[in-house]
Amino acid sequence: MPDAIHPAAPVSSPTVPAQVAVRALALAGDLSMGQPPDQSVRAARLAVRLAQLQGADESAARHAALVSLLRWSGCTANAAGFATLLGDDVGGREAMLRQGLPEGHPLNFANIAPLAHIHCEVAGEVAALLGLPGPVETGLRHVWEHYDGSGAPRQLTHEAIPPVVYLTSLAGDLEILSRTHPVAAACQMILQLGGVKYPNAMAQLAVAHAPALLAALEQGGDIDADLPAHPVALSIVAELIELKLPWLTGYSRRVAELAVRAAALAGLDPEQGQRLERAALLHGIGRASVSNTIWERPGRPSAADWERIRLAPYWTARAGALIPALRDEAELASRLYERLDGSGYFRNLDRDSLAMPARLLAAAAALAALCAPRPWRSAMSEPDACQQLQADAQAGLFDPQAVQWVVAAAAGQGGAAPSLPRRLLSEREAEVLRRISLGESNKEAARAMQISPSTVRTHVESIFRKLQCSTRAAATLKGLSLGLI
């Protein structure tokens, strides 16, 4: 039997209350699905009210809220698949949710079922990593199941589907359809979905109370007080967001490491170093709002693409307004792409507005990016990347002193890099996991490792067995959380 997962120590990471991580993941999910940044929160409020109308107890209502908030938490993992099918993973899924896909669109059960499987497995792993109750994890692992058996991943029917799935689906549909269609038309759509996605009786109950439910929804209300507050690793947020683009795997963690060590060399106090670390792990939230098609496009982005890219740090900054507990870190994180000469984005700040923490973060992010491969270029060696960063500093983009500290941090100064536990996986398996986590196929990994594709496949099967998962995205997420890659 393989070793149990639990003894392996997770990667050291700053912690936040679980409710804060859940809200951050909900926001990233909303952006990934082309939704307003409060869609999941609004759906969670509706799910609670629907649970109460059904006579559910407080525990069941709380579970419905959590599943609604994390309903999209697996959507970064299958973004590439939706980009391939629809041409735009963000806009395409937004149209799908409001039932606005054009006639003749390519989605069908055969091609969407594998994507739903990835989504559900990753969402379930998120619940497990966050230490959420079993019914929440179970609900997320079946969140795309339909009452009539037409859903995924297991085509369950009727009573075999956890009730929290019906509450989550119905609340989400009511929120989205009533916002994107006249209420009467939305209610008619809900009734048509009765007996398909959820029981007829639930659809009728929601429609009968729709005016009151929607009126109460507009009055707002805080749901955080009812959410769990135990500490969880903030790195979960970064790792889940980076599943959207496999070539980003581990990027935020590397930026955090460089920034913290550079901050120590710069003599910043520990509190500022901790803020830098948290900002590095949060900075990718806004990236979820931009389609994979744009991020993967070869060559320089077009003017239209740049307008979308410039919004990424805006949405990171917006996270601070929507989640007050992250306000300071989100504000710092949103300055990661600013440059001393004012040529950065999204605010076009210059040296007069960028304090040393922001300068260190920008330099750390640039060095980490230069040392990693991207679809449009190969990775630079560390010496070449350091030389390029120093040249950019001389050109006025980065602070020369901040660059010196980051380069020194990359060379190992400012504290030792954490060692990665590998007991659960063999060295060869860890290397295979690292390569597939970056998006390499079995053939590409085999070529790089000078072994056969069948040997890679055997290692992948062993990795899945030891990590107790069945998709590469879930293996990546679990491998990162356990410090295996």
Side-chain angles (χ1 to χ4, degrees):
M1 293 290 289
D3 292 336
I5 289 177
H6 304 291
V11 174
S12 176
S13 168
T15 62
V16 293
Q19 58 187 220
V20 175
V22 167
R23 288 293 302 275
L25 292 171
L27 173 58
D30 289 340
L31 296 177
S32 294
M33 298 296 287
Q35 297 301 303
D38 62 346
Q39 193 281 321
S40 292
V41 172
R42 287 165 59 88
R45 293 193 190 111
L46 281 174
V48 169
R49 289 292 297 122
L50 286 169
Q52 292 168 343
L53 286 172
Q54 287 194 302
D57 59 23
E58 290 185 8
S59 178
R62 188 178 306 112
H63 295 163
L66 283 166
V67 175
S68 294
L69 287 166
L70 294 173
R71 183 188 185 195
W72 309 135
S73 58
C75 66
T76 52
N78 62 16
F82 275 102
T84 299
L85 282 173
L86 301 175
D88 180 342
D89 52 297
V90 178
R93 289 191 287 196
E94 185 278 331
M96 178 184 71
L97 293 176
R98 60 176 166 83
Q99 298 188 20
L101 285 174
E103 190 172 342
H105 65 78
L107 291 190
N108 55 50
F109 185 82
N111 58 36
I112 205 171
L115 301 181
H117 176 67
I118 294 170
H119 182 125
C120 291
E121 184 169 56
V122 168
E125 292 297 337
V126 168
L129 290 171
L130 293 175
L132 299 180
V136 175
E137 179 180 345
T138 300
L140 288 168
R141 289 188 184 277
H142 297 287
V143 75
W144 287 114
E145 301 285 4
H146 290 175
Y147 180 79
D148 68 351
S150 63
R154 294 178 56 194
Q155 293 180 272
L156 300 180
T157 62
H158 305 116
E159 290 77 12
I161 299 174
V164 71
V165 171
Y166 294 139
L167 288 169
T168 299
S169 295
L170 184 51
D173 286 348
L174 182 57
E175 196 286 325
I176 292 170
L177 296 176
S178 66
R179 177 167 41 79
T180 57
H181 300 272
V183 172
C187 287
Q188 188 59 39
M189 292 178 185
I190 295 289
L191 291 174
Q192 290 172 351
L193 292 169
V196 178
K197 288 185 71 173
Y198 21 75
N200 269 315
M202 287 187 65
Q204 292 166 0
L205 180 69
V207 168
H209 291 84
L213 288 169
L214 296 173
L217 187 61
E218 295 309 318
Q219 295 173 11
D222 181 22
I223 62 170
D224 287 354
D226 295 326
L227 301 181
H230 60 271
V232 300
L234 184 59
S235 58
I236 294 171
V237 176
E239 289 155 3
L240 191 74
I241 293 169
E242 288 173 353
L243 292 180
K244 177 178 170 69
L245 298 161
W247 39 267
L248 279 174
T249 299
Y251 173 63
S252 296
R253 191 173 66 189
R254 176 59 173 160
V255 175
E257 176 191 331
L258 286 172
V260 168
R261 293 163 69 179
L265 293 170
L268 300 186
D269 62 59
E271 185 176 343
Q272 287 179 302
Q274 292 168 7
R275 181 169 171 249
L276 262 172
E277 184 177 20
R278 290 158 65 95
L281 294 173
L282 285 173
H283 88 271
I285 285 180
R287 194 183 295 116
S289 68
V290 182
S291 168
N292 274 34
T293 309
I294 292 176
W295 291 122
E296 302 274 8
R297 197 147 21 231
R300 292 186 60 82
S302 67
D305 285 351
W306 263 118
E307 287 306 310
R308 295 295 303 276
I309 292 170
R310 287 171 62 87
L311 287 176
Y314 162 78
W315 284 115
T316 300
R318 188 80 179 109
L322 296 168
I323 312 170
L326 299 179
R327 181 176 289 114
D328 289 346
E329 292 86 352
E331 174 62 25
L332 176 57
S334 72
R335 300 183 177 217
L336 184 144
Y337 297 106
E338 303 289 357
R339 298 294 180 257
L340 294 191
D341 63 355
S343 63
Y345 58 96
F346 69 101
R347 298 184 184 91
N348 297 111
L349 301 178
D350 59 21
R351 64 181 67 250
D352 294 333
S353 303
L354 297 170
M356 184 53 69
R359 299 180 184 203
L360 287 171
L361 186 62
L367 182 59
L370 289 170
C371 290
R374 294 293 183 258
W376 54 89
R377 61 161 173 79
S378 301
M380 285 188 178
S381 67
E382 190 169 286
D384 287 347
C386 290
Q387 187 175 8
Q388 179 63 57
L389 191 62
Q390 289 165 336
D392 289 342
Q394 290 299 315
L397 275 68
F398 299 99
D399 181 288
Q401 185 62 70
V403 166
Q404 281 189 14
W405 283 319
V406 168
V407 168
Q413 299 179 41
S419 60
L420 300 182
R422 293 285 175 83
R423 184 173 64 85
L424 184 60
L425 301 181
S426 69
E427 289 297 322
R428 184 69 90 176
E429 288 168 344
E431 175 66 8
V432 169
L433 178 57
R434 185 183 71 80
R435 290 190 172 279
I436 67 172
S437 74
L438 293 171
E440 290 187 11
S441 66
N442 285 3
K443 288 184 178 181
E444 290 170 331
R447 189 180 308 116
M449 298 175 68
Q450 297 185 327
I451 57 180
S452 71
S454 62
T455 300
V456 172
R457 184 170 60 253
T458 298
H459 285 314
V460 170
E461 291 170 353
S462 177
I463 291 165
F464 285 175
R465 184 174 64 256
K466 290 182 178 182
L467 296 185
Q468 300 171 18
C469 56
S470 61
T471 64
R472 294 180 178 218
T476 296
L477 182 62
K478 191 170 280 188
L480 286 166
S481 70
L482 293 173
L484 302 174
I485 53 177

